[in-house]
Structure formats: structure tokens, C-alpha cells
Amino acid sequence: MDDVVIPHSDVYQSWQNHLFNFKLDDPKTGALGLRKPQLAALYATLGHLLVDPTVTATVVMPTGTGKTDTMLALIIAARMRRTLILVPSDALRAQLVSKCGELKTLRTVGAVSDMARNPIVAAIDSKLSEAQVAELAAANIIVATPQALQLFEDAALGALVNMCSHLMIDEAHHVVAVSWSRIKTAFMGKPCIQFTATPFREDGLALGGKIVYNYPLRDAQIDGYFKGIEFHPVREYNLKLSDQAIADKAVELLRADLDAGYNHLMMVRAKSHKRATDLFELYKQHPDLMPVLIHSKVPDQAKVMAEIVNKKHRIIVCVDMLGEGFDLPELKIAAIHDQHQSPAVTLQFIGRLTRVDAALGDAKFVANIANQRTDHQMAALYKESADWGAVIRDVSEQKVGREIEKAEFNEQFAEGDDAQVIFGLNPNPKISAVAYHVLPKDWTPQRAQGLDGRRELLQYISINDEANTVIAITRRETPVGWAQTEEIIDTNWNLYIAFYDKTRNTLFVHASGDDTQATRFLNLVARAPRRISGEPTFRALHDIKLMKLQNVGLSRARKDLRFTMHVGRDINQVISDIEKGSATKSNIFATGFEGGERTTVGCSHRGKIWEMNSSPINYWVDWCRRMSVKLNDSTIDPADVLKNVMRVEKISGGWPEGLFYADWPESIAIENEQRISLLFEGETYNLLDVELGKPEYRGARTLDIPLWIAGVDGEERLLTSIAINLLEDGYKTSCPGVKLLYPYEMPLDAYLDGEPLVLLKVDGSMVQGNYRHYSLSSMDVKLPAGLLEPWDWGATKIHQESMRAERREDSVQGFTFSKIADDYSIVFNDDGKGEIADLVAIRESKGAIYVDLYHCKFCPMTDGVAAPGARVADVYEVCGQASRSVKWLYTSDKFFNRLMDRYQQSLLKDFDRILKGTPQHIEILRNKCHDHELIFKFVIVQPAISAEKVSKDQLAVLGTSYSYIKSISGSDIKVIVSP
């Protein structure tokens, strides 16, 4: 039909006169019609367009359920005058233009009759002028990529928006990107429908819009829109053999399908161009299957892609998945050499291979399940007997369900579109509040509607009665301070939040404006509030370990001096003045550890509490709940909270004696160490594989910190050293030739000049830069004698520390393993530079994972004899190692990832680190640690210490590690010694 060219208006009029056939197909009888998800999506979206057309609608349909035809059906059924459809790629644009022009499927199933003419379709593939945009008025459907529209001048884009009645977005999970959001913002107020298979983003940004229809993946599987999925795992821990194992299995499956008469193709997935090129060499061993390499840097891409579509090549080696929207049903086998980290991408990838076609077989996936590093939600895919159909269904339900729950939470607020507008702004308030005691009868959130005031107008407000939360945004206009005129004004937008903790009758109020504005808001949402101020406010500092005061304000009872502010290094005098009663606390801001994690906390005598952070509103509410517990705990004495504060003194004259341990700056946590490398003499070393040695004194004013690494032969090797020179009023680091790679390349010594190394002293104090930090409660702590446990070492060669690859049972480490093996399900030999501990011992019990870290050291020989004694030098290094390992607390799966990485790397050197257990068991624990508590214990094993002869100096160094570890982790340590 449509043999002659007809104008847009005639096409549109034919749609107006056409009666769309909302008929459901019947697979049992073969009756043609729309699929169930298509029909349901049409009904839901048409209803939304009728009731709430200006609110963006989101339609969720899994890949392969007829999403594209649903979009076209909606255009006809809703009689859309002119629709702009956004797609993410040029290939998808071309594919959609072809499909739009014929309506072939909709006509075949009888949904659209001959009365409705085919739409006139135009494509935008480059920048257009305003005049060129006007020519698009001849089209009913305009298909474009956001990249092309991003080139438009504002006038041209405005002309396009005015021309179009509706906006449709395909693959809508991209819409948060700047290039997409500009177009979506321009269409504000016009009907917008988003289609996606995955309505969530891994970066956490909101997709926006109301989910008007969601077709669950579970239903798609039950209704037969997904072919069966077979998972064929290989398990190969040796990285040199992994790719070959995957290729062998995948090719075996492809040949079997071809022999069975299936016209199947195989996709080989790589994460980068280089990986794809390397893998292509592997698959070239099968020339009869015509392997081909395709990615953005391959010449003649169009020709290669055409050959792929024409099925000239049976094996296709590519990066990712041949682009979004690529449709080739014959792709039924996937060799996954590099797993997707993202559930969203994984779901799309799987969907591409599970399209239903009676002439084709089931989809088959091949992957190496040894040491997977995927998102823990996707880890279930890579288990030995994983049911991929069930796993992707469950993950999809969880992810989509989370978006629906978020939408439902927003809908708990008062009617109107304010909640959508507020959350669409992605508010990230500063984490601060003032707390009040308020009785339940005096909590009056609805009164916040009266927030309008002089020069301040309420713009948006949302009240969540279930969550006891009020969020309001106002616009305030005030004269500028530098002119006496009303002609020029400042405009400020202010955020107000109130949260009422009903459990403790405590109200938290946050206002981005001034105190007057906050008070007016408070008096609206509460009657008779009693501010929590004075000493109780300082309960917020309770249970902060290794607390450092960053700044302190003091109120003083003197006529000539009412208030003093102290920052940095004069904290000692502050604490003394408070303890002597010559000053009282006005405000305090401190850093430290809480629950093993770094934290900040601020509080003032007037009642304000805060954290140096800006986060989403749900985090602010959770933080208020935590603060509410402390503020209402009458057993916390505010006078005691400063007892554990770290004092500071400037180092002058020379470095203090007794420095025995060095660690990287506080700014580098384990999560960062895994991504940071050092570059030295052309070689790159991951920071986790570099160990800082014991500080060595080179004169009174110079310290040398050795940098040790593991050599190719496994033996430790001195890389270089870091020199720290003490100046008259500062320090200078020197480490020539070493560069830090994170995120940019810079000299290591330049970085350390701004972020000093952490040095531990035997008296329990810490040195950072040219200042010594100490807490009176942790100074000169001696290890309690009850924590010493003597062992009878028998014939053990206590002068030999390591088991090594040959598993020497008569070494200190070997004997320790024999003593503890029966108590654990896994014992891991992590000995070597970059170790977590010499022995990592793990067991499970009552829903928790217990990890005991054993740090072993040898007894040095004197005159050919290894004799235990009271030498303090024998405890320095092992105590440093134990102190360093506390950094692995709360690292969750990163801890197990490190073990598996060390295991795989050692296999390349024929060194099996697993003394008891299996790598599969470690992988299981890595998955479990997301919902099981990890409980660490620290054990020092040093047969050079004699329980009978132990010296005060030894107990002092051991006590320093004990105090340090206990302050951060709350865990005791145990010390294994000789009798």
C-alpha cells in the first residue's frame, strides 16, 4: 500500500479514523494478535496518557518480548500527531527506521488494518539548522540519537520540540546521560514514554518517571518468550589455561549444534580491543568456522557487520555485545571470557541470545567459574550447577522491584507532583541537624504547608506520613548587601527537612538557610519542642576510637576573652583547659573510627550536630536515627568523651626513638591500595604487593623506610627506600624515581609531603609528619600476661619461619598449621610480601564467618643456637605486620578477592597456597560475606619470646599493637610464645 507519496496530514487523519484492534493472540489455537505483554503495556500507557500525560511514563519489557512493536502500536493507537523517538546508537536508528516504515508485524497480527496508512519516517543523523528542522514536518515519526541532537543549536532544538507532540525513548536506562537529559528537559510538559528492559542504573542515578507497566521476567519465561538457557561452566584457576578451556568447550557446543541441524552462531565476548585481538588468535585454530574479529577499530566495519548478518562467520569475536539493539536470532552460544560486572548489562546480554525461534535451539553460555569477580548479585550465575533462567529472573525482580519500591516510597508523600520534582533534583543535603524532644501529639508535619513568609515562597513540599518525614523547598528573595535598592535582589533556594523518631520522641530539623528560617520551620512542624543542647549534645562523640580533634571552640569565663577557637596542633591546651574547668566546650569537630570505619562528627553547645558529608535524604534519615540513640542515652557521660582524644605534640630536634612500624597515609584505605600502583625504573607494582619495612634511623633527623617487594623467585627484594627528613618546622620526604599512579601520575615523595606516612612508636603513640599523636588511655600499655600462650615447639626448627611452596612442616609456620588445622575449614598460606597474614584461618559458625590472622616470625640464631629470650628486637616486625592487617576489617568480598588473586598468581609458580579447604569453598564464603558477619581475630606467633623471661620492653611493643588493634577493631589479640 501507499504506492504514492501522501502528506503527513493524510497519514495522521487515517490514524484518527482507524480503529486499533486490541486482540490478544492465542498460541494454543494459533490465533494471531498482540502478545500479552504488548497488550497490557498498551492499556497501561494509554490510561496514563489520558489521566496524567505530563508525567513521564516508564514501560518495562524484557528483551525479546516485542518492545519495538509495542512502541509502534502505541503511536497508532494513541493517534500521536508527530513522535520523536530517541535511540542510543546509529545501528538501532537504522533498524527502527526500517521497521517503522512498514508496520509489518502489526499488520500481520491484525492489530493495524489497511485503513491506517504507513507512517512517514525521517531520521536525524547530523546537526540540522532551524530551516532544515522545519522540513521534518513532513514526517509522522522522527528517529534520532541523542548524540546527533546534542549538536543542535538551542533554536533548532526548540523548533523540533515545538513540532513534536510526543517523545519516546528506547533503552531508557541511558536517559540520565547529559546528551539525553538535555532533550528530555526540552520536552518538559509534553507526553514522554520511556521503554527499557532494565529500569535501573548501576551508578545509582535516578532514571525518573513513573513505572506504569512492568512485565516481570518470570512471566516472560512462563509465557514462552524466552528460550531455555544452558550454562556450561569450566573451572580453571590457572590463568594461563583459562581462555583455552572456555574456547574448547564453546567450540565443542557449536559443532554439536551444527551437527544437530541448528543454524547457530557463536559470540566470543572480550572486555577490550586488546583482549579481543588476543582471543581471535585462539579461535583462528578453527578456520572451517570462519572466525571474525569486530570492534570499533577494525577496518571495513560495515562490510564485516553485513557478513555477520548474512551468517558468513560462525564465530564472532567482539567487545561487549555487538551494540545495543543488535538483533541476530541465530546467535545462540556465548563464550564469556570476561564477565560483565553490571547486572543491567548482563540481563541485556542474556536477552539477546534467548529470543524465541522454532527453528533454533536453546541458548548456551560458557564461562570460567573459578574466582569470579562479578557483582555479588550476579555471582549466582557462575556456580557449578547454576540455573541461569532462574538467576536472571531473580536478579531482574530484585532490581526492578527496588525501583518500584522507590516509586512507592515517593508516592507515600502528599498528593501532587512535588515529590517527583524534589526527588528529580537528586537532593544531597549536608549531614547536619538540630535535635528536639517532641511528644507524639506535638508532631504536626501538615502545618509545614504554611512555610510561606515575607520574601520567601514555598515552591515544593512533600510529606511522608509513614516515614515521619517532611521535605520542603522555598525560594527567597533578598536585597543585595552592597546596594540600598530594591532593583537588584539575590535569589536563594532553601531546603528544609524534618524527621521525627517516634521510638525516642526526638525530632531532627535541617535547614540550608539561617537560624531564623530554621526556627520558623521548626515551629510549624512541632509544638512545644525542647532543644537537646548543652552537654548532652556532646554524647554524639561517644564511642569514637582514636579520636582526633580537628577544631574546638571554647567558652571562657573572662570579661576580656569570652570565646577562643583552636585548630590543628594546640589541642593539648584545649583539653587541659576543659579538664581544669577554666573553659567549657562550645563546639567540637573530630575524626576517628566507629565500628571499624573512618568517621567524622561535629557537635555544638547550642545543639547542632553534623558530619562532614553530603548524601541523599535517606542517608540523612539513617544518620538521624543513629544520633538519636546516642543523644537519648543517659548512661553516656559527656565529660568522659574526651578521655580518648589524641593529644598532639610537635617533634623538634630529632626523631623520637622507638619507631618500629610504618604504614601508608590514612588517605589510602585498602579499597584504594588495590587501585594504586608504584612506578619505579620502568616496572609497575601494585601497592598491596609493596611492604613498608621497619623505620631505620640515619642520624637524628633522617628516617629511612625500606620498600620491599616479592621477587620473581618468590624471595623478598629491596626495591628502594623512602627518606623522611625532619626540618625546623616541618618535614620533607625524598624517594627519587618512584611515582604514584592514582588517579594520575605524580612523584611519590610529593604525595607523601602532603599525606604523611603513619609511624607507630613503642609507647603507643603515632607519628605523622613532624607531629606525634597520643592518647593518655593508650600510652605505655603493656600486653596483659593472660594473652601470652606458650607452646611446646618440640623438634621444630624455630629459626625457620616459612613453610614455602614445599610445605616444610618443621618451620614455625608449618608447626602452627599442624596445631590449628583441625579448628578451621580453610587454612590459607599467605606468606610473602603483600600478605594479609602468614596463615589465614577461616571457619563458619551460627551465621558468622570467623577469620583468624596468624602472623608468624622466626627465632634468630646466636652462635648457631635459636634460643627464646627477652630481646625486644624480636617483636618489632611481627607486631608491625599484625597492626597492618587490621586494615582488612570490613573489606567484605575484597578480602576474599585478595586471597583468590594470590592463589591464582601463585599457581603460575607451582605454589598452592591452600593448605586446607578448596578454592570453591573460598568462593562460597565470598558470596556469603554479603549477608554474614565477618569476625576477625589477630594472633602473633613468635617462638623467640620466652613466657618465663618476657621483658617489659617486649610487653610494651606487644601492648602497642594490642592497643592499636583493639581501638580500631574491638578485637583482642593472642600471642603464641615459647615456654
Side-chain angles (χ1 to χ4, degrees), residues 217 331 652 672 689 703:
L217 192 56
L331 275 173
S652 58
N672 293 335
D689 297 322
L703 287 174

Side-chain angles (χ1 to χ4, degrees), residues 240-300:
K240 292 185 293 187
L241 305 177
S242 174
D243 287 335
Q244 187 67 59
I246 294 172
D248 290 346
K249 171 57 72 174
V251 170
E252 175 191 326
L253 292 171
L254 176 60
R255 292 190 183 282
D257 281 1
L258 294 174
D259 291 342
Y262 292 120
N263 189 24
H264 285 180
L265 308 179
M266 182 170 83
M267 177 192 295
V268 179
R269 195 232 171 221
K271 65 182 178 182
S272 66
H273 296 158
K274 183 180 184 306
R275 277 284 283 157
T277 302
D278 293 342
L279 290 171
F280 182 59
E281 293 300 316
L282 200 63
Y283 285 93
K284 281 169 65 175
Q285 300 172 18
H286 307 280
D288 60 311
L289 297 175
M290 298 290 289
V292 66
L293 175 65
I294 178 72
H295 55 68
S296 61
K297 295 185 178 179
V298 169
D300 297 323

